[in-house]
Amino acid sequence: MAFSLSTVSSPKIFLPSDGFLRSPSQTRLRPFFARPVPGPKTWFSSKPISISTGFHRRQPVKMAAATGSKQLTVFETEEELAVSLAKYTAEISDKFTRERGAFTVVLSGGSLIKALRKLTEAPYLESVEWSKWHVFWVDERVVKLDHPDSNYKLALDGFLSKVPIPPNQIYAINDTLPPEGAAEDYEARLKQLVWDRVIKVVPTSGLPRFDLMLLGMGPDGHVASLFPGHPLLKETQKWVTHITDSPKPPPERITFTFPVINASAYVAMVVTGSGKAGAVHKALSGGENTGYTDRLPVEMVELEQGEFTWFTDKAAVSMLNEKDTGL
Ligand code: 6PG
């Protein structure tokens, strides 16, 4: 069965045909470990199995508003994760390219860029319609675009320079502006692209609806440049805002806000390594005894109407167990 790209209204996990089995009637989330499947058969050929609670059970208020779905995938190795992430991204690109002749994709910095490396190889280098891609950043460090700290430079060197996306469809920040000006400028450009119908809009809210956001998460549970306990977590008006006291260097950045992230059609949260295990545990299990007290930014990614997929490895979920997930 082909991987379904349709949006679903309840949390799901996808079980590989040769993966671990569990009852379809179970009502709480449990991670599965996707085993390597040679050739075209991957976990994307799995049967979706609905669960009735799972991730949302700790946030009843948000849950009432959000109708998006969540899925968890766990890979034996980062290499297998990279293979599946490329297939997932290529399939979503294909879906939107066919539907509307454009694909809007948002990148973060960090280890995500390396995880996208398989897209620069066969068969994707030839099969993906790169000319339809429009590339944005969920957050960017306010430095020159050729600075080693620049997320644009990271993505250019590791991914974008290896695929034929038209340069005028790669939307880097204006690196001549200070943080506040750079955020305002980026938001204005997004609004123009909504007006030009490159970026879709959510009719009810007027928010931009990006086709796919490819996000990472820090060990503290931050996403984009939205850090635990920071006032920017509460921003509801701006699409893009700025920060000058980022706890992760460099301090000056711009970032998409939660309303924009949560309006996305698809979000992939790519998280590997044992350093993230505590935050993953809190986000996926209920969070007792993790050392984290407040709601983490990653827990605030609650899609209004979209599909949120965690791409993890065994180290990242090493603190999850049956007791934590209620099984
Ligand atoms: C940034 C990133 C940031 C990143 C996470 C995860 O500019 O710092 O966009 O949000 O995605 O910190 O980074 P790692 O995957 O490298 O841990």
Side-chain angles (χ1 to χ4, degrees):
M1 181 179 115
F3 172 48
S4 166
L5 290 173
S6 61
T7 302
V8 291
S9 59
S10 62
K12 286 186 175 183
I13 55 178
F14 284 85
L15 185 70
S17 53
D18 64 341
F20 292 1
L21 294 172
R22 71 273 190 268
S23 161
S25 65
Q26 69 186 43
T27 57
R28 291 184 184 174
L29 176 71
R30 178 178 182 179
F32 73 86
F33 294 89
R35 294 177 182 174
V37 181
K41 215 165 175 251
T42 72
W43 63 271
F44 290 106
S45 66
S46 309
K47 265 191 165 178
I49 297 176
S50 295
I51 52 175
S52 60
T53 56
F55 290 114
H56 291 293
R57 65 195 157 94
R58 294 182 57 252
Q59 292 103 31
V61 176
K62 278 279 173 191
M63 190 182 166
T67 56
S69 71
K70 292 197 179 186
Q71 297 133 33
L72 171 66
T73 58
V74 184
F75 296 88
E76 290 282 333
T77 64
E78 193 274 345
E79 178 73 9
E80 289 155 22
L81 182 156
V83 169
S84 275
L85 184 64
K87 183 172 170 58
Y88 166 92
T89 304
E91 289 201 28
I92 295 175
S93 162
D94 188 51
K95 168 188 162 68
F96 287 107
T97 298
R98 284 171 194 271
E99 277 179 17
R100 54 188 289 266
F103 176 50
T104 54
V105 58
V106 180
L107 304 177
S108 67
S111 57
L112 168 82
I113 300 303
K114 189 175 167 221
L116 293 174
R117 64 190 177 279
K118 301 287 179 190
L119 280 169
T120 69
E121 301 170 5
Y124 306 114
L125 187 56
E126 295 77 28
S127 64
V128 167
E129 284 221 55
W130 297 107
S131 66
K132 309 295 187 199
W133 278 45
H134 293 260
V135 180
F136 304 84
W137 275 266
V138 74
D139 70 333
E140 177 59 286
R141 293 95 179 270
V142 181
V143 293
K144 295 294 175 197
L145 294 178
D146 60 358
H147 190 281
D149 283 340
S150 164
N151 281 344
Y152 168 82
K153 178 176 165 44
L154 178 76
L156 188 70
D157 293 348
F159 174 41
L160 299 175
S161 62
K162 301 175 182 180
V163 294
I165 300 171
N168 66 339
Q169 292 172 201
I170 296 175
Y171 305 94
I173 63 163
N174 181 337
D175 67 353
T176 66
L177 297 172
E180 186 171 9
E184 287 170 359
D185 173 75
Y186 209 77
E187 180 168 320
R189 287 157 68 200
L190 297 187
K191 287 185 169 156
Q192 182 63 49
L193 289 164
V194 167
W195 181 255
D196 294 342
R197 297 177 187 271
V198 171
I199 303 172
K200 278 179 303 191
V201 67
V202 180
T204 47
S205 62
L207 288 165
R209 182 164 165 83
F210 289 94
D211 298 330
L212 173 63
M213 288 201 187
L214 295 161
L215 304 183
M217 181 197 80
D220 59 355
H222 82 258
V223 293
S225 287
L226 298 164
F227 292 91
H230 198 281
L232 289 188
L233 301 185
K234 297 186 186 133
E235 176 61 54
T236 57
Q237 300 306 309
K238 293 178 182 168
W239 293 6
V240 184
T241 190
H242 73 287
I243 177 170
T244 55
D245 59 354
S246 164
K248 178 182 177 182
E252 296 189 337
R253 295 152 171 256
I254 70 167
T255 181
F256 283 12
T257 58
F258 275 117
V260 173
I261 293 172
N262 286 336
S264 306
Y266 291 86
V267 167
M269 185 66 69
V270 182
V271 178
T272 59
S274 58
K276 315 270 175 83
V280 169
H281 182 204
K282 168 116 168 45
L284 299 188
S285 72
E288 291 82 12
N289 307 318
T290 57
Y292 296 98
T293 48
D294 294 332
R295 199 162 178 235
L296 298 178
V298 71
E299 295 178 272
M300 298 173 70
V301 182
E302 292 279 355
L303 304 191
E304 292 300 323
Q305 254 192 333
E307 191 172 299
F308 179 172
T309 303
W310 287 79
F311 285 79
T312 67
D313 65 358
K314 288 178 84 171
V317 297
S318 56
M319 287 176 67
L320 286 175
N321 55 46
E322 291 201 358
K323 179 173 166 289
D324 295 324
T325 55
L327 297 173

